[in-house]
Amino acid sequence: MKSTEREPENRVWGNKFQVGVTIALFVLTVMLYASVRHFGFVNFDDDDYVVANPHVLGGLTVRDIGWAFTHFHAGNWHPLTWISHMVDVQVWGLNSGGHHLTNVILHATNAALLFAILARMTGAPWKSAFVAAIFAWHPLHVESVAWISERKDVLSGFFWILTLGAYHRYVGAPGPRNYALVLILFAAGLMSKPMVVTLPFVLLLLDYWPLQRAGLARTDASRWRQLFVEKLPFFALALISSVITIAAQHSFGAVKSIEEVPAMLRLGNIPVSYVRYLANAVWPSDLSVFYPLAPHIPKAQAASSLALLFLITTFAVAAARRIPSVCVGWFLFLGTLLPVIGIVQVGIQALADRYMYLPLIGPAIIVAWGAPRLVGEGRFRRPALAFAGVILLAGCAVATARQTLYWRDSVSLYEHAFRVASQRGTTHMMLFDGLADALLRDGRAAEADEIVTKARQQFPENAKRLNLAGLIKLRLGYAAEAESLWNRALQLDPTWYQIYNNLGILHTNTQRWELARRDFERLVELRPDDALALGNLSQLCLATKDYDAARRYCALAITAAPSDPMLRALEEQIEHHR
């Protein structure tokens, strides 16, 4: 017996309704996020992704497109995401509002597409509209939309949703062309953000509901085998993407070892994080850009979280025949979060709002299809349910508008994160360092000095914080203290390249040429393809009248960043001394 729950639709009225809802979702979502056009870049990954990335700053060039496909950067391999940033620079330059606008348009498009595709699959436009509106306006998605570096979320989401639509088309009209289109869109999603590796699993869920390609009877076993075999190329792509991703993250040092994050801590964090994701979906308060991984998770908390997940899963499986949407929604939530749930611990966060960009669709489906079944039929029950839905969506929109404001600049972002962490007693050194750096960039060096001093008192010293402390001291006019801090940082980590750059600039400004050259040469050894490092060394050689070396290093810098106007100007200065 196959699953049911597909609703009849009036084609004429339905088409007009769907067009209207699609347009309304897009327009209202853009309006909700319109304020981000006034926001700037933030000091959390935006440097690596755009502001200080020479391959992106050059705009859309053949050379940099090649780099996007052939290099790991910032612990990732997502060439289509890099290319999207290059297109933004080509169109907007470094006008941050334009980069934000691209994110908003992609997110609004995703919401409209999700509605259109889900409505066609299920024949339930009202319920599909609710799911798409939750997706569009839930505050958990602010991080993915208002953060320029999370372009990978909205871009991969675009291809993920398009893949669902192409798959629905393939199911209705099987054939190699339609199948190839599904596979190509999935590959594009993987090249935008590898978190979409679970999509083959999602397609199998859709085969049960709403596409009804197989049921739960014993006679359906052979049909499920056929459907699984049909997905083998998708699983192969997912495996290849997973291997590449792990290699990229290892190259960046982002994957934590068992010594750094013990197995029991990882296992305990999995059910706790799942429950926290659910809690944030139901009651999204005190959302933050960073939730630090606790050094210890109480066994009672882990056990109770696991018990809750087991109960919900048992209910979902039991309801699979009667309410298949609930079962599919629940396993969509569990499955799409699996790559980032902490089995392989990347970074030092316990969870992140951005990871809920696609998984949130699962709970939304459960509410949209489950609530009417729970309320039942009745003259006043359905209007009451519709009214509750409108209130819920309005509350989400208000919370999203408020949450978006925290992303207007780096100081606001970290001050909010700092408040949330302090209230929960989970303040982490990353928040101290991030806030101090944000204050320094905002010209508030004295306040930054207070924050970094507290961090140095509370947490073990590391090269990154000492580097930041040196920059703050230099801004306050204490060059000798800055130099001392940087030298101490090199004792802790002699490979921290930024310190050599800072020391080189300091020694250049004080005309200690030999020391400056040593610093910049060491920097180039560590980062031989870094245009900034090569450019600084070239300028030093020019200042010390070593014109041949200046010309050589400038040529290498231009090779690394051919579109950099400052390097072209440096090249002209050097040519005057031929």
Side-chain angles (χ1 to χ4, degrees), residues 64 69-70 154 170 230 266 351 370 426 431 440 444:
D64 289 326
F69 280 95
T70 57
V154 291
Y170 161 74
E230 178 188 68
R266 299 179 192 219
L351 66 159
T426 57
L431 296 176
L440 176 63
R444 297 155 64 178

Side-chain angles (χ1 to χ4, degrees), residues 204 264 344 555:
L204 286 170
M264 291 306 296
V344 177

Side-chain angles (χ1 to χ4, degrees), residues 433-444:
D433 296 344
L435 180 56
D437 181 65
L439 290 167
L440 176 63
R441 295 184 188 214
D442 199 42
R444 297 155 64 178

Side-chain angles (χ1 to χ4, degrees), residues 268 271-273 275-276 294 296-308:
V272 171
S273 292
V275 170
R276 286 184 66 184
H296 171 72
I297 295 177
K299 292 181 180 179
Q301 183 184 12
S304 60
S305 298
L306 186 62
L308 177 60

